[in-house]
């Protein structure tokens, strides 16, 4: 318990996600509303090591709620994984009198926060900010909804040309170890098949599915491939399918980093606001090593430890089953 918090810093780390700015804005304003001095750390944990810590006022977060990316910048910081890096970061926090830290990011960010708070007396609250939706304790992570909307907008366009040419398209989407984007994108774009890292689908199964589609007069097909799929990326899979399914005119689109950008959806703006608000309130209550998340439309806390260890299979089984049925 450390209820007498006076100075709080906010940082974003790992892959950026739409909605992070809404969360920064909410955290800064909630802190100021409660009489706290608020700071922003530039470039995630790298900024802690470089002492790149700036004061933030209510007006410094004006006009950012609609912006993608993160105004605090972000980085994947290798130095923070070392004991020396963490010590420098801690010394910089102490030199700035900062006693509370809000970290917004994904599993790498949370692992850093966990190791840091186990070694040093800084109260840390995590906000799940990643398009991958791969943290336990929040039904949705920040940026996931916007990313799915971006993906389906792209797939709708691909569908137009796929259908006009009677082609088979393989569309690769992000999600290093997580098929969450792929599954929801498949359902909302009406894809013929989806390949997920959590559920290995053999090429035989895929080809059988495509053949059934062709036999029942589907003229074009879209297969969503999650980037973490064990059979390889979309190019590898398309090549293997083409070898055995030569009559199909196959094409590949890798959506890549465009999935991380763009103005956040209203869902992500509201989620970011709720989570930023909650993160500061948890620090003010003296809580630490907790993640704030959305569960059943309520903001709940989960220990960072659980958020990291329990996420292994987050795919919704009912959606998986439904995607198969609806794609016949
Ligand atoms: O974790 C979010 C994510 O976008 C993953 O889906 C993807 O695999 C990874 O980040 C890409 O990271 P980077 O931008 O560092 O290449």
């Amino acid at each position: 318990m450390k209820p007498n918090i006076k100075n709080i810093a906010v940082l974003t780390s790992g892959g950026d996600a739409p909605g992070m700015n809404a969360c920064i804005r909410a955290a800064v304003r909630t802190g100021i509303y409660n009489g706290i001095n608020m700071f922003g750390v530039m470039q995630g944990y790298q900024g802690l090591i470089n002492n790149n810590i700036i004061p933030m006022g209510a007006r410094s977060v004006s006009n950012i709620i609609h912006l993608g990316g993160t105004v605090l910048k972000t980085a994947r910081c290798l130095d923070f994984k070392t004991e020396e890096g963490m010590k420098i970061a801690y010394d910089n926090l102490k030199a700035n009198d900062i006693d509370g830290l809000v970290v917004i990011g994904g599993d790498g960010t949370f692992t850093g926060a966990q190791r840091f708070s186990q070694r040093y007396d800084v109260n840390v609250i995590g906000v799940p900010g990643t398009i991958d939706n791969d943290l336990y304790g929040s039904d949705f992570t920040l940026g996931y909804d916007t990313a799915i909307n971006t993906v389906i907008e792209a797939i709708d366009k691909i569908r137009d040309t796929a259908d006009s040419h009677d082609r088979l398209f393989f569309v690769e989407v992000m999600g290093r170890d997580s098929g969450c984007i792929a599954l929801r994108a498949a359902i909302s774009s009406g894809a013929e098949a989806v390949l997920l890292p959590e559920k290995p689908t053999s090429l035989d199964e895929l080809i059988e599915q495509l053949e059934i589609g062709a036999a029942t007069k589907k003229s074009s097909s879209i297969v969503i491939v999650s980037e973490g799929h064990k059979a390889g990326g979309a190019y590898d899979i398309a090549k293997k399918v083409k070898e055995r399914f030569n009559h199909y005119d196959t094409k590949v689109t890798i959506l890549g980093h465009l999935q991380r950008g763009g103005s956040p959806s209203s869902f992500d703006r509201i989620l970011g606001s709720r989570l930023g608000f909650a993160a500061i309130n948890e620090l003010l209550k003296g809580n630490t090593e907790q993640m704030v998340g959305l569960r059943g439309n309520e903001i709940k806390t989960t220990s960072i430890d659980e958020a990291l260890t329990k996420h292994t299979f987050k795919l919704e089984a009912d959606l998986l089953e439904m995607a198969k049925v609806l794609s016949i």
Side-chain angles (χ1 to χ4, degrees):
M1 275 292 274
K2 195 175 180 188
N4 198 22
I5 287 189
K6 298 258 185 308
N7 302 304
I8 295 177
V10 184
L11 64 80
T12 49
S13 159
D16 60 326
M20 280 183 164
N21 285 325
C23 187
I24 295 166
R25 171 182 178 269
V28 167
R29 290 194 171 169
T30 306
I32 290 169
Y33 182 86
N34 285 285
I36 302 293
N37 301 310
M38 292 300 298
F39 295 84
V41 182
M42 300 304 293
Q43 287 180 315
Y45 294 125
Q46 195 62 55
L48 279 187
I49 293 174
N50 297 345
N51 201 17
N52 198 351
I53 301 171
I54 53 168
M56 296 194 83
R59 293 288 79 76
S60 67
V61 290
S62 295
N63 299 325
I64 65 167
I65 194 166
H66 61 297
L67 300 178
T70 159
V71 294
L72 292 177
K73 311 272 187 175
T74 186
R76 299 194 192 275
C77 177
L78 295 178
D79 289 347
F80 195 68
K81 293 186 175 169
T82 66
E83 295 298 334
E84 302 75 42
M86 280 191 284
K87 170 80 171 68
I88 298 170
Y90 178 71
D91 290 344
N92 285 333
L93 277 179
K94 285 293 112 176
N96 287 282
D97 258 340
I98 288 165
D99 28 34
L101 193 59
V102 175
V103 299
I104 310 167
D107 52 358
T109 306
F110 280 31
T111 305
Q114 186 186 43
R115 294 181 72 237
F116 193 51
S117 58
Q118 280 163 357
R119 286 163 178 75
Y120 299 104
D121 70 330
V122 178
N123 284 11
V124 183
I125 297 292
V127 174
T130 164
I131 63 165
D132 291 355
N133 199 35
D134 58 353
L135 287 161
Y136 172 82
S138 193
D139 299 341
F140 293 89
T141 58
L142 210 45
Y144 173 52
D145 180 68
T146 306
I148 297 167
N149 285 319
T150 303
V151 169
I152 61 172
E153 193 186 332
I155 297 175
D156 288 351
K157 289 176 179 161
I158 291 169
R159 171 80 70 188
D160 289 344
T161 178
D163 195 41
S164 303
H165 286 266
D166 293 347
R167 280 174 169 160
L168 167 60
F169 264 83
F170 291 84
V171 182
E172 186 177 300
V173 300
M174 273 187 168
R176 216 177 349 223
D177 304 307
S178 160
C180 289
I181 293 179
L183 179 57
R184 287 203 169 221
I187 291 169
S188 37
S189 67
E192 277 61 39
V194 56
L195 302 180
L196 307 160
E198 297 91 338
K199 192 189 165 291
T201 307
S202 70
L203 284 184
D204 287 340
E205 275 176 85
L206 173 64
I207 288 170
E208 191 188 330
Q209 227 172 314
L210 293 172
E211 272 169 346
I212 292 170
T216 54
K217 305 234 179 322
K218 273 190 193 251
S219 57
S220 64
S221 294
I222 306 256
V223 177
I224 315 263
V225 181
S226 192
E227 64 174 340
H229 193 267
K230 309 289 175 285
Y235 277 109
D236 293 339
I237 293 170
K239 200 168 153 230
K240 286 177 199 152
V241 170
K242 178 81 182 163
E243 277 161 16
R244 296 184 33 200
F245 214 38
N246 197 29
H247 54 288
Y248 248 121
D249 187 8
T250 53
K251 296 283 170 187
V252 175
T253 303
I254 312 269
L255 293 181
H257 284 80
L258 75 81
Q259 296 162 89
R260 286 236 297 262
S263 184
S265 63
S266 67
F267 181 88
D268 277 326
R269 296 181 198 198
I270 292 164
L271 182 61
S273 302
R274 291 178 82 179
L275 295 178
F277 175 77
I280 298 297
N281 286 323
E282 289 304 320
L283 282 173
L284 296 180
K285 281 191 251 168
N287 285 338
T288 185
E289 289 178 54
Q290 299 291 310
M291 179 191 88
V292 287
L294 183 73
R295 278 192 260 150
N297 204 25
E298 278 180 45
I299 302 297
K300 297 261 168 75
T301 55
T302 304
S303 75
I304 286 186
D305 188 42
E306 269 189 297
L308 282 170
T309 50
K310 287 197 177 169
H311 74 273
T312 34
F313 200 96
K314 208 181 159 182
L315 276 188
E316 295 121 312
D318 56 331
L319 294 193
L320 200 57
E321 169 67 16
M322 189 181 79
K324 198 168 172 203
V325 172
L326 300 190
S327 68
I328 59 166

